[in-house]
Amino acid sequence: MPHSPLTEGPAPVRSGADLAARGGRGAGPGVTERMDWDKLRVFHAVAEAGSFTHAGDTLNLSQSAVSRQISALEGALSVPLFHRHARGLILTEQGEQLNRTVRDVFAKLAMTEALLTESREKPAGRLKVTTTRGFGASWLAPRLARFLELYPDVNLSLLLDDRDLDLAMREADVAIRMHAPRQPDLVHRHLLSFHWKLFAAPDYLKRHGVPQTPESLDQHRLILFGDYNPPVPDINWLAEFARRGGPARRAVLEANSLHAMLAAVQAGIGVAALPDYLTREVEGLVQVLPEAKTPAVEMFFVYPEELRNSKRVSVFRDYLINRLNEMGGGGTAA
């Protein structure tokens, strides 16, 4: 059985070597025999980090040791893998070709390793879960304690990022996303529809008055997310809500964090649209225009086809659905 990419071992990776040899010039006999895990592991770390120093920090190796491994790999292949300049390293064409193969091999090995080490009797092993910063920090993280009590052999890793991590490349195992997956080879299940609601602090409303119609928001101070990696589509719908032509409403404050927006509302800065899962347990807020029809956001549980039969994935999905049902959600198969 091939060695894990996270451990050392002498086994050659012939597919990556053969591909690199086909793309290079002058690669002589014995190339595949020298394409061992040590060199490939170091090469991949340098390619991702863009420098010997940062790769060495990741691998717990000295800069000189990393440099020697890269030089040995380049010598084995008889091709340069990096352009070296004062600001860092850039992959050559041959380096990019090899890195694509190495990344794919390591991702598949990590997937295989996780499936092989999972117990047949009970869920076990590491489970990397990614979701948006707002949902992960405010709703998901506080509700993981019971799951970890029920499944002590599952090691959870929570990756909060408003960008979509690449599940096919094993940047995460499963995702909780605020939109349907765009990749056709991902399995997904609808979890919940949640709605935006408009909130302000009592102090703000005392100073500026209570909006009586959506159109009256033109005279109010708005807090918007901005356009930096929005976690859900059309997150700044409030800027054009109930407007009939003309430019969008301007924000008095933009923040690329729902938590920061909530804190700004609590501080009396203005009115903001916030998801109901974020504000459900927050006191001291006043809902503005409660009868207004606001957009809905669909939440999905997403994972690669290879993990369809994983016990870790299935128990986490079921636990998540049960907890969402407690707040009036649900799950429909997709």
Side-chain angles (χ1 to χ4, degrees), residues 180-330:
R182 300 180 179 94
Q183 294 173 268
D185 56 341
L186 295 178
V187 181
H188 64 280
R189 176 171 182 155
H190 183 261
L191 292 175
L192 177 74
S193 298
F194 67 83
H195 287 80
W196 299 97
K197 295 178 181 177
L198 302 180
F199 291 96
D203 177 63
Y204 171 86
L205 297 175
K206 182 178 180 180
R207 288 182 286 115
H208 296 276
V210 178
Q212 298 299 319
T213 65
E215 291 79 6
S216 66
L217 290 170
D218 289 353
Q219 283 72 54
H220 282 268
R221 296 158 61 87
L222 302 185
I223 302 166
L224 301 177
F225 189 90
D227 57 2
Y228 181 79
N229 284 336
V232 300
D234 301 322
I235 193 170
N236 288 320
W237 59 270
L238 184 58
E240 299 187 25
F241 181 53
R243 287 186 65 82
R244 291 170 174 80
R249 299 183 181 101
R250 297 181 62 184
V252 67
L253 173 67
E254 290 185 353
N256 67 328
S257 161
L258 291 176
H259 277 93
M261 292 173 64
L262 172 60
V265 171
Q266 291 174 308
I269 293 177
V271 179
L274 298 170
D276 47 16
Y277 67 75
L278 181 66
T279 57
R280 184 177 294 262
E281 298 174 2
V282 177
E283 298 180 355
L285 296 181
V286 177
Q287 186 176 351
V288 175
L289 300 173
E291 302 302 321
K293 185 177 180 181
T294 59
V297 177
E298 307 302 329
M299 184 186 297
F300 294 87
F301 187 82
V302 186
Y303 55 95
E305 174 67 32
E306 295 94 318
L307 292 178
R308 183 183 287 274
N309 297 320
S310 169
K311 289 184 174 61
R312 288 164 298 152
V313 171
S314 62
V315 297
F316 183 75
R317 178 199 61 213
D318 293 344
Y319 177 82
L320 183 64
I321 290 172
N322 288 335
R323 295 308 303 266
L324 287 170
N325 280 335
E326 294 174 4
M327 58 178 271

Side-chain angles (χ1 to χ4, degrees), residues 46-296:
V46 173
E48 297 300 310
S51 77
F52 292 147
T53 301
H54 293 152
D57 292 341
T58 301
L59 299 169
N60 198 26
L61 294 173
S62 67
Q63 180 180 349
S64 59
V66 172
S67 179
R68 284 196 300 271
Q69 290 280 47
I70 296 301
S71 295
L73 183 58
E74 290 178 321
L77 295 174
S78 299
V79 295
L81 299 174
F82 295 97
H83 296 297
R84 294 158 172 83
H85 58 82
R87 291 178 296 175
L89 302 172
I90 298 177
L91 285 166
T92 64
E93 181 180 352
Q94 297 94 333
E96 289 179 352
Q97 188 178 18
L98 179 59
N99 193 44
R100 284 194 297 269
T101 300
V102 170
R103 185 188 292 126
D104 184 59
V105 169
F106 282 2
K108 291 185 184 308
L109 281 172
M111 176 79 75
T112 302
E113 182 181 41
L115 292 174
L116 290 176
T117 56
E118 186 168 21
S119 169
R120 292 186 176 219
E121 302 300 326
K122 56 184 178 180
R126 189 181 184 193
L127 182 65
K128 293 188 290 183
V129 179
T130 182
T131 190
T132 61
R133 297 178 187 275
F135 181 76
S138 66
W139 191 91
L140 182 59
R143 290 167 173 80
L144 293 177
R146 179 57 179 159
F147 176 84
L148 295 172
E149 290 176 2
L150 292 171
Y151 306 103
D153 294 320
V154 175
N155 303 113
L156 274 183
S157 179
L158 191 56
L159 309 174
L160 303 186
D161 200 316
D162 289 338
R163 299 174 298 113
D164 284 355
L165 299 189
D166 192 338
L167 301 187
M169 295 306 301
R170 290 305 304 277
E171 289 184 331
D173 297 315
V174 301
I176 303 167
R177 290 183 177 164
M178 308 308 163
H179 59 81
R182 300 180 179 94
Q183 294 173 268
D185 56 341
L186 295 178
V187 181
H188 64 280
R189 176 171 182 155
H190 183 261
L191 292 175
L192 177 74
S193 298
F194 67 83
H195 287 80
W196 299 97
K197 295 178 181 177
L198 302 180
F199 291 96
D203 177 63
Y204 171 86
L205 297 175
K206 182 178 180 180
R207 288 182 286 115
H208 296 276
V210 178
Q212 298 299 319
T213 65
E215 291 79 6
S216 66
L217 290 170
D218 289 353
Q219 283 72 54
H220 282 268
R221 296 158 61 87
L222 302 185
I223 302 166
L224 301 177
F225 189 90
D227 57 2
Y228 181 79
N229 284 336
V232 300
D234 301 322
I235 193 170
N236 288 320
W237 59 270
L238 184 58
E240 299 187 25
F241 181 53
R243 287 186 65 82
R244 291 170 174 80
R249 299 183 181 101
R250 297 181 62 184
V252 67
L253 173 67
E254 290 185 353
N256 67 328
S257 161
L258 291 176
H259 277 93
M261 292 173 64
L262 172 60
V265 171
Q266 291 174 308
I269 293 177
V271 179
L274 298 170
D276 47 16
Y277 67 75
L278 181 66
T279 57
R280 184 177 294 262
E281 298 174 2
V282 177
E283 298 180 355
L285 296 181
V286 177
Q287 186 176 351
V288 175
L289 300 173
E291 302 302 321
K293 185 177 180 181
T294 59

